[in-house]
């Protein structure tokens, strides 16, 4: 109601300014300033009542309540009259309690305000039973200790009364229905949400229809077979019939293709040349091993498609009407089609960054994305229903990490390179707090907020040498054979009090923690460190439950599995390992990944330009059911299926990038999921997927 009144006032002001009614505008501003209803803003009305109480203005308090009674409360039904009377009684008791408290703390101020209240209100209050015991209040030496009055001197009663009055006025203004702006805004928002849901359902149905139309098209002839058939027809058409009755110059036979061949003598050499070209192409094709045959992608309706070799041919997803044939485990020999678990509905690009991305994370609600580049620029943007930048954060100090707060999800934690963590409100677009962690450990490498929203963990590390883990450097730096571990701390901070709660014990010594992750309820915390050790912390006892050597080199990324019985990690040794948390240090599976999936990531350019970036953000992300994982690659993300034998089966390359992807994220909602892939050229691809239910 309050926002509707403010918008109406703004429209009236705009109209008066447009018409040039300046004197009327002055009178309007004066009336608005003297408005006792405060524009139907409940918080302003409560503040005005408290102002009368703190100033001991009993007349003003009575007059203001009488005005509200005449203007608002009298319109209510009779059933609500007892509630209004109870609120009025509580308001005067709140005034009395305030006068007594002031006398207790400041005996020299207003000692007669309590007696003055009863003298002026005696005639009205003495006939009300609820005030009968309150006339002795001025004569009790310690009323806050009296059993009859002690509850009213508690902070709980005062807060409860103010909340009750606030709620009563809010409901009253909502039920008045004087202006309909709020209802229209809510109706428009609900219609937009409904339209978005219908759009997602439409995309899903379109994908299913296309699949049903083309489910019979499982095999298509390769392009070279078209040339082969054409050559065979040419040979057939050029053969002369050996019939003596036929003249020496027979008429050419009509060909199947509707063209006529000239005499055989004139076409002998071209025909021989076509035969030689065909045999050469055929020998080259079948002489290549199976792994070197470039994968051809044939679009429906195209007579030929050019082959694309290497990973460059996977920049775009295959069309919906094409079924991918597995080349592993005899899938080609059997000719069996493997159904893809996802369909890529669309892919959009966010290009507001101008340098390499370090972090890219979706918030808990799946509505907003926060992305951080190596220049310290943070973009907060939304992608539903349209891609739009909500906030841009520029930092004077270098930023190394970010994390969304769980509750409320509008808050963003930003870790810097000078030992501070900022709490940023993305709605208000301002910093709420800046916490100084430790000046001796200035690099905030990782942040993780507890799902309960009450606390977060912070990894602080000392400055590194050239061989340590950094954001990006211009040239590749060789690592020492056995580099010393970078010292660091793992701290727990309270988000409400903005104070440090404790420091975790890191055995065998202080070491930099590169990555952190909570389980679904925040009872467990898993960390990966620069010494290659994974540590599992019990957040109810705040101690390390177990730890084990996981990788040769640093641990880059670590996450809980879907059932939270295992932990997945990627390390500097290029391995993707699944660990059993019920049996310390026991591997359940291990898979070697290429360097473009684990880093360091290399971007080369003209004139010998070379940029190397060591991993900072998430290197892998799971879908909503934990059966598929998204990893990085040189030209886009790749979705793998987790099989039961400890391997990864590539099922869908997302593609779309021209530079190496350095961090990924996966947000699942209903049947449509959103994959984020961010690369070294500052581009972020947002791929919308449809999960095919088996």
């Amino acid at each position: 109601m309050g926002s509707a009144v403010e918008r109406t006032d703004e429209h009236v002001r705009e109209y008066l300014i447009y018409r040039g009614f300046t004197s009327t505008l002055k009178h309007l501003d004066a009336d608005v300033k003297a408005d006792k209803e405060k524009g139907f803003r409940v918080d302003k009305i409560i503040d005005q009542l408290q102002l009368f109480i703190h100033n001991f203005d009993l007349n003003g308090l009575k007059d203001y309540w009488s005005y509200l009674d005449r203007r608002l409360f009298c319109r209510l039904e009779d059933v609500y009259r007892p509630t209004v009377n109870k609120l009025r009684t509580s308001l005067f008791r709140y005034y009395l309690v305030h006068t007594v408290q002031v006398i207790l703390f400041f005996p020299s101020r207003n000692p007669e305000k309590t007696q003055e209240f009863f003298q002026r209100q005696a005639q009205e209050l003495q006939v009300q039973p609820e005030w009968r015991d309150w006339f002795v209040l001025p004569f009790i030496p310690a009323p806050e200790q009296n059993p009859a009055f002690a509850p009213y001197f508690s902070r709980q009663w005062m807060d409860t009364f103010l909340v009750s009055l606030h709620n009563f006025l809010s409901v009253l203004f909502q039920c008045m229905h004087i202006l309909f702006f709020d209802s229209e805004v809510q109706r428009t928002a609900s219609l937009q949400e409904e339209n978005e849901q219908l759009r997602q359902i439409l995309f899903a149905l379109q994908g299913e229809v296309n699949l049903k139309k083309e489910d019979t098209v499982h095999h298509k002839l390769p392009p070279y077979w078209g040339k082969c058939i054409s050559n065979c027809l040419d040979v057939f058409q050029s053969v002369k019939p050996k019939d003596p009755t036929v003249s020496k110059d027979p008429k050419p036979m009509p060909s199947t293709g509707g063209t006529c061949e000239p005499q055989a003598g004139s076409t002998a050499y071209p025909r021989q040349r076509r035969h030689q070209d065909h045999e050469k192409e055929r020998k080259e094709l079948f002489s290549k091993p199976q792994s070197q045959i470039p994968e051809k992608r044939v679009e429906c309706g195209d007579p030929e498609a050019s082959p694309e070799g290497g990973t460059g041919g996977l920049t775009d997803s295959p069309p919906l009407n094409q079924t991918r044939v597995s080349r592993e485990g005899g899938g080609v020999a059997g000719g069996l089609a493997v159904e893809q678990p996802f369909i890529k509905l669309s892919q959009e690009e966010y290009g507001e960054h101008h340098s390499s991305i370090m972090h890219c994370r979706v918030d808990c609600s799946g509505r907003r994305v926060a992305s951080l580049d190596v220049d310290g620029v943070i973009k907060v943007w939304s992608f539903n229903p349209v891609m739009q930048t909500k906030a841009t954060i520029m930092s004077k100090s270098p930023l190394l990490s970010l994390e969304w707060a769980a509750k409320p999800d509008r808050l963003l934690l930003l870790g810097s390179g000078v030992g501070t963590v900022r709490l940023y409100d993305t709605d208000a677009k301002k910093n709420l707090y800046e916490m100084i962690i430790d000046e001796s450990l200035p690099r905030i490498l990782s942040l993780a907020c507890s799902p309960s929203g009450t606390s977060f963990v912070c990894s602080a590390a000392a400055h590194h040498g050239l061989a340590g883990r950094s954001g990006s450097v211009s040239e590749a730096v060789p690592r020492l054979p056995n580099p010393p571990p970078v010292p660091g701390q793992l701290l727990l901070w309270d988000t409400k009090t903005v104070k440090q709660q404790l420091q975790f014990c890191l055995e065998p010594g202080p070491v930099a923690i590169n990555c952190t992750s909570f389980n679904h309820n925040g009872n467990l915390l898993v960390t990966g460190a620069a010494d290659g050790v994974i540590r599992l912390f019990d957040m109810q006892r705040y101690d390390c439950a177990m730890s084990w050597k996981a990788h040769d080199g640093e641990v880059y990324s670590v996450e809980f599995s879907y059932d939270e019985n295992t932990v997945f990690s990627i390390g500097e040794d290029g391995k993707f390992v699944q660990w059993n948390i019920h049996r310390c240090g026991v591997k359940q599976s291990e898979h070697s990944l290429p360097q473009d999936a684990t880093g360091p990531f290399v971007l080369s350019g003209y004139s010998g330009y070379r940029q190397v970036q060591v991993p900072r953000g998430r290197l892998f992300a799971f879908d909503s059911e934990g059966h598929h994982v998204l990893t990085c690659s040189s030209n886009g993300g790749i979705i793998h299926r987790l099989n039961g034998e400890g391997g990864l089966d590539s099922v869908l390359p997302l593609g779309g990038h021209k530079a190496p992807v350095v961090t990924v994220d996966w947000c699942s909602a209903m049947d449509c999921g959103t994959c984020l892939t961010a690369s070294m050229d500052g581009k972020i691809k947002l791929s919308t997927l449809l999960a095919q239910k088996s």
Side-chain angles (χ1 to χ4, degrees):
M1 183 66 183
S3 58
V5 171
E6 289 181 358
R7 281 193 291 269
T8 305
D9 292 344
E10 290 299 325
H11 289 317
V12 174
R13 286 191 180 93
E14 184 178 356
Y15 173 77
L16 294 177
I17 293 173
Y18 174 75
R19 294 296 307 274
F21 298 156
T22 55
S23 59
T24 307
L25 180 62
K26 292 180 181 179
H27 287 294
L28 174 64
D29 292 336
D31 291 339
V32 169
K33 187 175 182 180
D35 181 24
K36 291 185 177 181
E37 296 169 359
K38 306 299 180 182
F40 297 100
R41 294 264 313 261
V42 178
D43 53 343
K44 296 293 185 180
I45 294 177
I46 299 295
D47 292 342
Q48 184 63 49
L49 291 173
Q50 288 186 304
L51 180 64
F52 288 135
I53 292 175
H54 292 308
N55 292 336
F56 304 102
D57 188 357
L58 182 58
N59 291 331
L61 183 64
K62 292 174 56 179
D63 293 341
Y64 194 64
W65 185 265
S66 299
Y67 174 81
L68 295 177
D69 195 5
R70 294 192 308 270
R71 184 72 173 85
L72 303 174
F73 302 151
C74 65
R75 302 183 181 184
L76 296 175
E77 299 178 5
D78 294 338
V79 69
Y80 297 108
R81 178 51 56 180
T83 303
V84 175
N85 293 335
K86 289 181 180 179
L87 290 174
R88 181 178 183 275
T89 301
S90 299
L91 179 66
F92 286 145
R93 288 178 178 177
Y94 186 88
Y95 173 85
L96 278 175
V97 169
H98 179 68
T99 59
V100 173
Q101 287 179 337
V102 170
I103 296 175
L104 291 175
F105 290 102
F106 304 99
S108 60
R109 295 178 55 188
N110 303 310
E112 67 283 346
K113 288 296 180 181
T114 306
Q115 297 181 3
E116 179 187 358
F117 173 83
F118 286 105
Q119 291 174 359
R120 300 178 58 178
Q121 296 293 114
Q123 185 176 0
E124 178 184 354
L125 300 181
Q126 64 183 357
V127 296
Q128 301 180 14
E130 60 269 17
W131 284 99
R132 186 174 303 165
D133 298 334
W134 282 77
F135 283 92
V136 299
L137 182 65
F139 309 102
I140 299 178
E144 71 279 359
Q145 299 178 1
N146 190 288
F149 301 103
Y152 299 97
F153 286 85
S154 64
R155 187 66 184 177
Q156 180 181 2
W157 180 85
M158 299 180 184
D159 293 340
T160 303
F161 163 67
L162 293 177
V163 170
S164 300
L165 181 59
H166 188 284
N167 294 340
F168 179 78
L169 293 175
S170 299
V171 174
L172 174 62
F173 292 154
Q174 289 178 2
C175 296
M176 290 176 64
H177 298 295
I178 298 177
L179 297 173
F180 298 95
F181 283 109
D182 287 340
S183 60
E184 290 296 329
V185 170
Q186 294 175 2
R187 182 171 177 270
T188 303
S190 63
L191 289 176
Q192 290 177 351
E193 294 178 359
E194 184 179 357
N195 290 339
E196 179 60 25
Q197 294 176 359
L198 293 175
R199 187 173 70 91
Q200 299 289 354
I201 295 174
L202 178 61
F203 284 155
L205 293 177
Q206 288 177 347
E208 293 178 1
V209 169
N210 291 334
L211 286 178
K212 290 180 179 179
K213 284 183 179 180
E214 304 297 335
D215 59 356
T216 58
V217 184
H218 295 301
H219 306 283
K220 288 191 177 184
L221 292 177
Y224 72 87
W225 276 102
K227 297 180 181 179
C228 179
I229 294 174
S230 178
N231 292 334
C232 292
L233 291 174
D234 292 341
V235 173
F236 174 74
Q237 295 163 7
S238 62
V239 175
K240 295 180 181 179
K242 296 181 180 181
D243 192 346
T245 62
V246 180
S247 64
K248 294 182 180 180
D249 296 328
K251 294 182 180 180
M253 296 175 59
S255 64
T256 308
T259 60
C260 295
E261 284 287 328
Q263 294 182 358
S266 63
T267 59
Y269 178 74
R271 183 175 68 249
Q272 184 180 3
R273 186 175 181 179
R274 285 196 296 269
H275 277 294
Q276 291 176 354
D277 293 340
H278 167 63
E279 290 296 330
K280 183 179 179 180
E281 182 180 0
R282 188 172 178 271
K283 289 179 180 180
E284 289 177 355
L285 180 66
F286 288 102
S287 63
K288 291 182 179 181
Q290 188 72 19
S291 60
Q292 295 181 2
I293 298 178
E295 184 177 353
K296 297 176 182 288
R297 189 171 68 245
V298 181
E299 296 288 343
C300 182
D302 292 343
E304 292 183 5
S306 60
E308 299 175 0
T311 58
L314 301 178
T315 56
D316 295 324
S317 64
L320 299 181
N321 56 7
Q322 178 185 355
T323 305
R324 184 187 179 101
V325 179
S326 174
R327 298 184 180 270
E328 300 177 5
V332 175
L336 299 177
V338 180
E339 184 181 3
Q340 289 190 4
F342 300 99
I343 299 174
K344 189 169 75 171
L345 300 177
S346 64
Q347 188 176 71
E348 302 174 85
E349 179 181 291
Y350 183 79
E352 295 295 326
H353 288 280
H354 304 289
S355 59
S356 179
I357 306 296
M358 286 198 298
H359 293 274
C360 185
R361 298 297 301 272
V362 186
D363 67 353
C364 301
S365 63
R367 297 182 294 108
R368 287 172 295 189
V369 179
S371 49
L372 166 66
D373 59 30
V374 296
D375 291 338
V377 178
I378 294 178
K379 297 284 186 178
V380 179
W381 47 283
S382 62
F383 54 86
N384 191 2
V386 295
M387 194 172 288
Q388 182 181 9
T389 301
K390 299 294 186 181
T392 300
I393 308 171
M394 308 288 290
S395 176
K396 296 181 180 179
S397 58
L399 296 177
L400 304 180
S401 56
L402 67 81
E403 174 71 359
W404 285 101
K407 297 177 182 179
D409 59 0
R410 71 176 189 276
L411 301 182
L412 194 63
L413 292 169
L414 307 175
S416 71
V418 294
T420 60
V421 173
R422 281 188 287 169
L423 190 62
Y424 184 84
D425 191 330
T426 58
D427 287 347
K429 299 181 182 180
K430 65 178 181 179
N431 292 320
L432 300 181
Y433 302 102
E434 185 169 9
M435 295 154 273
I436 300 177
I437 306 301
D438 193 338
E439 295 181 354
S440 62
L441 302 172
R443 294 190 304 138
I444 309 301
L445 297 182
S446 179
L447 295 167
C449 188
S450 173
S452 63
T454 58
S455 60
F456 69 92
V457 293
C458 166
S459 168
H463 283 295
H464 54 78
L466 291 178
R469 188 174 186 235
S470 62
S472 69
V473 294
S474 58
E475 294 291 339
V477 180
R479 288 185 59 88
L480 299 175
N482 294 309
V486 179
Q489 295 178 351
L490 185 64
L491 309 172
L492 180 67
W493 281 69
D494 191 300
T495 54
K496 294 183 179 180
T497 61
V498 199
K499 294 182 179 179
Q500 178 181 329
Q501 287 184 293
L502 58 93
Q503 176 181 342
F504 291 94
C505 180
L506 301 177
E507 296 294 341
V511 65
I513 301 295
N514 291 334
C515 47
T516 53
S517 179
F518 280 97
N519 70 334
H520 78 284
N521 57 9
N523 290 335
L524 295 177
L525 172 70
V526 62
T527 65
D531 56 0
V533 176
I534 292 179
R535 296 171 175 85
L536 188 67
F537 291 90
D538 184 351
M539 297 303 293
Q540 293 180 334
R541 297 186 300 173
Y542 301 112
D543 63 353
C544 183
M546 62 179 69
S547 62
W548 62 91
K549 181 70 174 179
H551 294 275
D552 295 332
E554 301 188 26
V555 181
Y556 284 156
S557 192
V558 63
E559 297 286 342
F560 280 97
S561 63
Y562 176 73
D563 58 6
E564 298 184 352
N565 290 320
T566 59
V567 167
F568 288 87
S569 64
I570 288 181
E572 190 178 1
D573 53 6
K575 294 180 179 180
F576 181 69
V577 188
Q578 182 181 13
W579 305 91
N580 191 328
I581 64 174
H582 302 292
R583 300 172 63 188
C584 182
V586 175
K587 294 181 182 179
Q588 285 199 191
S589 65
E590 180 178 323
H591 187 80
S592 296
L593 296 176
Q595 182 180 351
D596 58 5
T598 62
F601 305 102
V602 181
L603 179 62
S604 301
Y606 297 104
S607 303
Y609 173 78
R610 179 181 172 87
Q611 182 181 1
V612 180
Q613 179 170 331
V614 179
R616 278 210 170 275
R618 299 177 67 179
L619 297 182
F620 62 95
F622 294 102
D623 67 340
S624 59
E625 297 179 353
H627 297 157
H628 298 84
V629 61
L630 172 65
T631 63
C632 304
S633 73
S634 59
N635 60 355
I638 299 179
I639 296 178
H640 305 268
R641 180 188 289 109
L642 297 172
N643 57 36
E645 300 177 356
L648 297 176
D649 297 332
S650 178
V651 296
L652 180 60
L654 299 179
H657 285 276
K658 298 179 181 179
V661 172
V662 295
T663 182
V664 298
D665 201 1
W666 194 336
C667 174
S668 297
M670 297 173 45
D671 288 339
C672 293
T674 302
C675 292
L676 291 172
T677 54
S679 59
M680 294 184 68
D681 58 358
K683 306 299 182 185
I684 301 175
K685 296 289 184 178
L686 188 143
S687 303
T688 302
L689 305 180
L690 173 66
Q692 299 194 75
K693 300 299 182 180
S694 57

